[in-house]
Amino acid sequence: MKPEEKQQSPLADRVRPQNLEEFVGQEHLVGEGKPLRVAIEKDQLFSLIFWGPPGCGKTTLARIIANETGAHFVGLSAVSAGKADVTKVVKEAKERLKLYQKRTILFLDEIHRFNKAQQDALLPSVEDGTIILIGATTENPSFEVIGPLLSRCRVYTLERLTPKEIKTIVERVLTDVEITDEALEFLVQAANGDARVALNTLEIAARHVSPIDTETVKNILQSKLLYDRVGEEHYNTISAFIKSMRGSDPDAALYYLARMLEAGEDPLFIARRMVIFASEDIGNADPKALPLAVSVFEACERIGLPECQINLAHGVTYLASAPKSNASYSALLKAQKDVKETLNEPIPLHIRNAPTPLMKELCYGKNYQYPHNFEGHFVKEEYLPKKLSGHRYYFPTEQGFEEKVKERLDNLRKFAGSLKTKEDKCPKGL
């Protein structure tokens, strides 16, 4: 980069560290004696993928690797680059290696944006060492990078920078910028582990006021919540939301609800997951949970934001505080397992419908005992296929209302055990 270009580039780019000593964060990777640092110091280059949140140092670390090992650095963004750009880099890398014995590092930012065909095009050059590929992604590479390419790269997970690390980075550039202590503390917290956000916010604020105050930082940052409605953070947040309700922690559940709403999540998506949760994780422990969750969904559908967030909060606190049981869902999974393993077991004749004379002759519906004709509206009967006789799937817990369900079923089974088994009067072989 030419001096005049560097001066015009964002602050985050101008103050980018040039070596490992200047680099802040990711001690688990580049701290003294750590594997990646050792590989860099020994000049043992290999293709790799950096997976981590925005502004944690992926691009910077890739450039430092090139600097420390004397490799030629080429940076591309998968957002704008295509197969032709890769082909050009590979061609030049071959010539550079042949004429000057100089290796080429191809840094591909947002590698998850490349489709399968584009990723396939990288394989031969990575395989034969023509290029050293360093991919960077904010998405889980297990889902976003094709298997053959993933198997040829080592994946390193970068962590979000801590407020202390963000503060260290920011303080390095405060020689010509004044900022109040309160504003600095707010900035390092609000940056959410993203050094680029912190530095660029600082740069913009310095153009407007000196010393920089908290209100100015707030106005510039506005809402910088880390959340992508189609990315991994979306699934991480909804997972934390569900697990908080399952763990009966209404406070944590409300926090993740607020976080999703602040990020612009569709309230119907949240409400839909609550309806599922009501049956999957509460079930008969509180039969009112499902109708309440459905009511919340309908309220969100009819009212919309911002008012429906009140309905969501109502539902979330109820579901999180309710007694929990997954017995119904577990029972379904056990039954599905038997269905797959036994396939089409014959349904007992006595509980089959008999709409035609022939079916009646074949004993369809014969000797069926109508429970409402018996005391307690119950009679001993076999409803499962013969091969599965006696199989039990539903084991009610002693949580909430389900304790009463368990007591009733236990009593019915005990009562059934004292009754005689009905004789089968159907002809043999039917």
Side-chain angles (χ1 to χ4, degrees):
M1 185 181 293
K2 297 177 182 178
E4 59 271 21
E5 291 176 339
K6 190 172 182 67
Q7 191 59 38
Q8 293 171 1
S9 64
L11 178 63
D13 190 55
R14 298 202 303 272
V15 300
R16 194 184 297 278
Q18 301 300 307
N19 53 58
L20 288 173
E21 282 64 38
E22 297 175 357
F23 188 76
V24 177
Q26 315 308 332
E27 286 293 313
H28 64 295
L29 298 181
V30 294
E32 289 294 336
K34 297 300 180 181
L36 183 56
R37 186 183 188 107
V38 170
I40 296 169
E41 290 173 344
K42 291 185 175 181
D43 197 11
Q44 296 173 341
L45 289 185
F46 45 82
S47 291
L48 53 88
I49 293 174
F50 287 143
W51 171 30
C56 67
K58 298 185 292 292
T59 303
T60 299
L61 198 48
R63 287 183 175 277
I64 287 175
I65 291 173
N67 291 342
E68 298 273 2
T69 59
H72 181 76
F73 182 89
V74 179
L76 294 179
S77 171
V79 174
S80 54
K83 191 174 177 180
D85 299 289
V86 173
T87 301
K88 181 183 177 185
V89 171
V90 170
K91 181 182 177 183
E92 292 174 350
K94 284 181 179 178
E95 294 174 353
R96 192 175 295 111
L97 191 61
K98 182 179 179 181
L99 296 174
Y100 309 108
Q101 290 75 54
K102 193 177 184 69
R103 296 162 299 181
T104 299
I105 288 179
L106 169 58
F107 175 70
L108 188 56
D109 197 15
E110 299 194 78
I111 190 172
H112 59 276
R113 301 277 189 174
F114 259 17
N115 60 35
K116 184 180 183 300
Q118 290 170 314
Q119 290 187 35
D120 275 333
L122 293 165
L123 284 172
S125 305
V126 171
E127 181 75 49
D128 64 18
T130 300
I131 59 170
I132 306 294
L133 174 67
I134 299 182
T137 178
T138 56
E139 305 297 327
N140 191 328
S142 301
F143 306 128
E144 305 296 340
V145 179
I146 60 173
L149 186 57
L150 199 60
S151 68
R152 289 163 173 79
C153 300
R154 297 186 197 178
V155 177
Y156 288 100
T157 304
L158 280 72
E159 298 172 351
R160 187 173 298 157
L161 297 175
T162 66
K164 184 179 178 181
E165 289 166 342
I166 293 288
K167 190 173 184 179
T168 299
I169 293 169
V170 170
E171 285 178 336
R172 288 181 177 177
V173 301
L174 290 182
T175 51
D176 299 318
V177 179
E178 287 188 58
I179 184 171
T180 66
D181 292 341
E182 182 187 359
L184 177 59
E185 288 305 317
F186 179 82
L187 175 61
V188 299
Q189 294 292 335
N192 202 22
D194 189 328
R196 189 182 297 109
V197 167
L199 292 171
N200 290 344
T201 300
L202 188 71
E203 182 178 28
I204 295 169
R207 296 173 188 163
H208 293 82
V209 64
S210 182
I212 299 168
D213 55 32
T214 305
E215 195 60 33
T216 302
V217 174
K218 282 183 179 179
N219 290 337
I220 294 169
L221 278 172
Q222 294 179 359
S223 179
K224 293 290 184 181
L225 191 62
L226 176 64
Y227 191 85
D228 179 354
R229 285 175 58 180
V230 296
E232 189 196 0
E233 199 64 20
H234 161 84
Y235 296 106
N236 287 342
T237 309
I238 194 65
S239 174
F241 173 66
I242 295 296
K243 288 181 172 68
S244 297
M245 289 196 295
R246 183 178 295 143
S248 298
D249 189 337
D251 301 301
L254 281 169
Y255 167 78
Y256 290 114
L257 170 65
R259 186 159 162 170
M260 288 187 286
L261 291 172
E262 180 68 19
E265 182 58 84
D266 180 359
L268 290 181
F269 168 76
I270 301 171
R272 193 176 298 115
R273 294 305 297 264
M274 290 165 63
V275 173
I276 297 167
F277 177 88
S279 289
E280 180 180 351
D281 288 283
I282 296 176
N284 290 325
D286 185 349
K288 292 183 288 185
L290 179 58
L292 180 132
V294 171
S295 295
V296 169
F297 180 88
E298 290 176 350
C300 290
E301 201 170 33
R302 294 176 184 179
I303 297 171
L305 289 171
E307 290 86 353
C308 77
Q309 61 187 339
I310 303 170
N311 306 115
L312 287 169
H314 173 184
V316 165
T317 51
Y318 186 95
L319 297 180
S321 305
K324 305 296 187 296
S325 170
N326 70 340
S328 296
Y329 182 44
S330 296
L332 173 63
L333 296 178
K334 292 171 191 169
Q336 287 176 329
K337 184 172 182 289
D338 266 359
V339 167
K340 290 174 183 176
E341 290 179 354
T342 61
L343 297 177
N344 297 313
E345 282 298 308
I347 293 171
L349 289 171
H350 63 278
I351 60 170
R352 296 188 195 183
N353 223 12
T356 69
L358 175 62
M359 290 172 137
K360 288 178 181 176
E361 287 178 23
L362 294 174
C363 286
Y364 278 42
K366 188 172 184 179
N367 297 328
Y368 171 63
Q369 301 177 95
Y370 188 57
H372 297 295
N373 291 340
F374 294 84
E375 184 181 350
H377 299 257
F378 175 79
V379 64
K380 184 175 183 179
E381 186 65 279
E382 183 61 73
Y383 298 101
L384 280 170
K386 188 173 182 180
K387 189 174 179 179
L388 297 173
S389 179
H391 278 221
R392 281 187 61 188
Y393 305 112
Y394 180 47
F395 293 87
T397 69
E398 296 182 353
Q399 296 295 308
F401 180 78
E402 200 165 40
E403 183 179 16
K404 293 183 178 180
V405 176
K406 181 179 185 300
E407 184 181 350
R408 171 173 163 72
L409 289 179
D410 287 345
N411 289 336
L412 289 176
R413 289 182 183 117
K414 213 176 280 183
F415 177 61
S418 67
L419 299 176
K420 289 184 179 180
T421 304
K422 174 193 65 177
E423 287 184 21
D424 184 4
K425 296 181 180 178
C426 285
K428 298 265 184 191
L430 290 180

